[in-house]
Amino acid sequence: MIDNGEFENLDIDYIEMDWVEEGDKLKCTNAHHGSLFRSEPDKLYINWAAAMQIQFHVCDLDQSWSGTREKWARGYIETFVKSAQHRCRRMQEMYVEPFLKYIKS
């Protein structure tokens, strides 16, 4: 989006269905809709252990964003980079530094 300056060519919408079993059928009890580009980018959770997925329940997805798509994209990139930097520091601390003593000569 940022590289191409194409901010209005794409929508990402989510639908969440609540359901209950009734015999051999599922009955929809509620439905929720959320637009990714109406969520506050800095409130999105990136799950690094799950292939870098943005994770949320649609019913809980913040929909207060009123800025432009370009500002949203740049805000998300900032959130992503901060999260990645934190993840890299934690990986270094937890999975590299404790084991360096075994391979240093």
Side-chain angles (χ1 to χ4, degrees):
M1 291 173 73
I2 294 172
D3 287 344
N4 296 330
E6 296 178 2
F7 300 102
E8 301 304 323
N9 296 348
L10 173 71
D11 285 316
I12 301 177
D13 292 276
Y14 299 88
I15 305 291
E16 177 181 323
M17 307 294 287
D18 298 332
W19 54 270
V20 294
E21 289 185 61
E22 285 191 354
D24 61 348
K25 298 184 186 217
L26 299 177
K27 177 182 177 182
C28 178
T29 58
N30 208 346
H32 309 275
H33 168 260
S35 169
L36 184 64
F37 300 129
R38 288 185 51 214
S39 66
E40 292 284 341
D42 61 347
K43 292 182 181 175
L44 294 171
Y45 171 69
I46 301 166
N47 186 338
W48 293 95
M52 301 185 297
Q53 294 176 3
I54 302 171
Q55 291 188 330
F56 51 83
H57 291 284
V58 178
C59 62
D60 298 327
L61 182 62
D62 171 82
Q63 295 287 272
S64 65
W65 178 261
S66 61
T68 67
R69 292 258 180 110
E70 180 176 4
K71 287 183 181 177
W72 186 95
R74 293 182 185 282
Y76 176 74
I77 292 296
E78 183 178 342
T79 297
F80 179 87
V81 168
K82 285 179 183 176
S83 181
Q85 288 172 328
H86 174 75
R87 175 71 174 179
C88 289
R89 281 192 299 274
R90 294 285 294 140
M91 293 293 287
Q92 181 75 23
E93 291 167 2
M94 293 174 63
Y95 302 112
V96 174
E97 291 171 5
F99 302 103
L100 288 175
K101 64 186 176 189
Y102 298 114
I103 59 174
K104 287 189 177 180
S105 44

